[in-house]
Amino acid sequence: REAGAVLRAALIELLDTVEKKALEHQDTVMIGRSHGIHAEPTTVGLKLLGYWSALERGLRRLDAAQEEVGYGQLSGAVGTIAHLDPEVEIETMKRLGLQVDPASTQIVQRDRHANWLQAVATLGATIEQMAVEVRNLQRTDVHEVEESFGKGQKGSSAMPHKKNPIVSEKLTGMARLLRGYAHTALENVALWHERDISHSSVERIIFPDAGHTLHHMLVKMEWLIRGLVVYPENMKANMEKVRGMYFSQPVMLALTEAGVVREDAYAWVQKSAMRVWDEGTALRDSLVENEEITSRLDPAVLDRCFDLGHQLRNVPHIFARTLALKDW
């Protein structure tokens, strides 16, 4: 319970840092990717806001797990309270700041503890998700963000030019530890009869290790996000590599609004998009040369389809409804 309070404080600090960075880059445009391939425009802030939302859910899970694990018992060898007045158990738990487990055996049932470690491991998985994204975006051929790199820091012992995402890589690995601990906690639920010690021998390791591991991850991710270097010009250059293809869906939808069957609209736009891949032309130019499309969409409609501001017009709404969840 006390360890959870330490974790909660570190998590809130991370949430506040992510929120600040997200608001700072709410309008910093970058390409969104699906399957690793350019999809449609998004913003750096919106990407960070998604992580903020996941961390906020993690906070609620941790709070719920803290509530569920904050129980104790003084109910005797098999839970019958045969050796004392139940009021003694109530008073003892009150002094310890715990609730009385209503139906214990010689121990508090370990589903409570397993649930706590699930919350810890899930938070670790969210941090890993953030770390993997930084690792991908820091790749030389992408280079849209970068971990803070201190003066005199070495990126590689062999190659002086390297700036490796070492903190993100470390966090990715540590998340694997937490998942292992959570699995072990689930194994601890099934004990023989009213108690054995197959669980306690393991808990002496997994609980302190899991607590320290997640705390370190929270602190390091807060440092990473606070000092994250963002390269808007590289983001713009990467978007330009596909010559407007990320506007293909608005064009397809405009065609359906003009009465074209969706399958036909998809095929017409795809045909023009494939020319972008194969011939190096821009999507807008390829579309204009397609009479099936220009006969149904006038230039003003196409202008709206290629309007980046129109594509991202609802980002402020998403920020408002998401940050409204903040209640700490």
Side-chain angles (χ1 to χ4, degrees), residues 119-184:
V120 166
T122 303
L123 274 167
T126 296
I127 293 174
E128 180 185 20
Q129 179 188 15
M130 299 167 70
V132 167
E133 185 69 9
V134 171
R135 291 170 62 190
N136 267 313
L137 294 180
Q138 188 166 332
R139 286 185 295 119
T140 305
D141 51 343
V142 179
H143 201 213
E144 294 182 354
V145 305
E146 194 172 78
E147 289 184 8
S148 178
F149 195 81
K151 184 178 180 180
Q153 180 179 335
K154 291 183 179 180
S156 165
S157 60
M159 295 166 283
H161 71 279
K162 296 290 290 296
K163 294 171 75 173
N164 298 331
I166 56 173
V167 173
S168 299
E169 290 177 346
K170 180 173 72 172
L171 294 174
T172 301
M174 296 176 84
R176 299 168 186 169
L177 275 177
L178 294 183
R179 287 194 287 277
Y181 293 147
H183 175 82
T184 304

Side-chain angles (χ1 to χ4, degrees), residues 1 69-76 81 83-102 104 106-108:
R1 182 197 59 193
V69 83
Y71 282 77
Q73 56 82 31
L74 200 64
S75 57
I81 326 181
H83 62 303
L84 50 76
D85 190 302
E87 291 299 321
V88 176
E89 182 183 44
I90 294 171
E91 179 61 25
T92 302
M93 294 307 112
K94 182 179 179 181
R95 293 187 185 189
L96 292 173
L98 300 173
Q99 299 184 65
V100 175
D101 191 333
S104 61
Q106 191 179 128
I107 61 165
V108 173

